[in-house]
Amino acid sequence: MKTLITAEEIANRIEELAREITAFYQGKALTAVVTLNGAMPFASDLLRKIRLPMYVDTLGVSSYVNNQSSGKIHVRSPLKLPVKERHVLLIDDILDTGCTLANTVAYLKDSGALSVRSCVLLDKETKRSPGGALSADWYAFRIPDVYVAGYGLDADEYYRNLPDIKIFS
Ligand code: IMP
Ligand code: MG
């Protein structure tokens, strides 16, 4: 598999993102919500560079494939902490059709978050679905419309532990 983004490039970009996010959330009650399982490596590296007091929680969701614009998600693993009165930074692996992100943001707002902003590792240049999120508030890399694996992203659940992001072929 051909490497698209190296571990070193990822680490450098995370430094920049962490500085921006740290500046943005100064003085706010912040909860980072990490989506399972794909965002784990990215979130683990990013969160350790953000110099702010914060809660860290996880959320496992999947979008209903045949009902994409309904705004409904299936919660496989719920939040463990209340998000009421807190500003939520949602950390996700990849923005593709945008359905998962749009539905997860809506779910967190419905759960009472003061604000919800998103940070994704990858923004894939694809046609977003109707009702899908067009963009994230922060992204580490924009990539072409290829299937990638590594650094959290899977192909049939394998490769999540690779340090680089590779084009799966
Ligand atoms: P969306 O709702 O289409 O934006 O779906 C995003 C989800 O699809 C991600 O959280 C991934 O689990 C999966 N996904 C989309 N593209 C890729 C890819 O290139 N590699 C691995 N997973 C992907
Ligand atoms: Mg996946």
Side-chain angles (χ1 to χ4, degrees):
M1 295 196 292
K2 186 171 167 279
T3 298
L4 184 65
I5 306 168
T6 65
E8 192 187 354
E9 288 168 330
I10 296 168
N12 291 338
R13 181 68 183 119
I14 282 177
E15 297 272 356
E16 294 175 354
L17 277 179
R19 274 196 294 274
E20 285 178 31
I21 291 167
T22 300
F24 186 85
Y25 283 109
Q26 290 292 327
K28 298 214 169 90
L30 175 62
T31 297
V33 171
V34 182
T35 60
L36 300 172
N37 296 327
M40 283 195 294
F42 174 49
S44 163
D45 288 342
L46 179 66
L47 292 177
R48 284 179 295 161
K49 299 280 178 187
I50 297 175
R51 301 289 177 226
L52 292 171
M54 66 166 86
Y55 292 175
V56 178
D57 205 352
T58 57
L59 178 66
V61 298
S62 47
S63 287
Y64 288 112
V65 176
N66 295 319
N67 199 8
Q68 288 180 329
S69 54
S70 70
K72 286 200 183 119
I73 46 171
H74 171 62
V75 177
R76 286 183 283 110
S77 172
L79 293 170
K80 293 86 195 161
L81 304 168
V83 292
K84 265 200 168 37
E85 308 302 314
R86 302 196 63 89
H87 295 276
V88 171
L89 174 65
L90 176 65
I91 303 177
D92 208 347
D93 55 359
I94 186 166
L95 185 56
D96 185 11
T97 66
C99 288
T100 310
L101 192 70
N103 294 343
T104 310
V105 167
Y107 174 78
L108 290 165
K109 284 184 177 159
D110 288 349
S111 304
L114 286 176
S115 72
V116 183
R117 284 187 172 74
S118 55
C119 178
V120 296
L121 171 65
L122 300 175
D123 180 344
K124 204 191 265 196
E125 284 168 348
T126 43
K127 207 163 146 270
R128 306 283 191 245
S129 292
L134 296 178
S135 59
D137 294 287
W138 290 277
Y139 66 87
F141 301 97
R142 193 161 268 163
I143 62 163
D145 190 5
V146 291
Y147 198 88
V148 289
Y151 198 63
L153 293 141
D154 73 300
D156 281 338
E157 297 304 327
Y158 281 101
Y159 306 111
R160 291 194 198 273
N161 58 318
L162 296 183
D164 308 309
I165 298 167
K166 297 192 180 271
I167 296 174
F168 182 75
S169 49

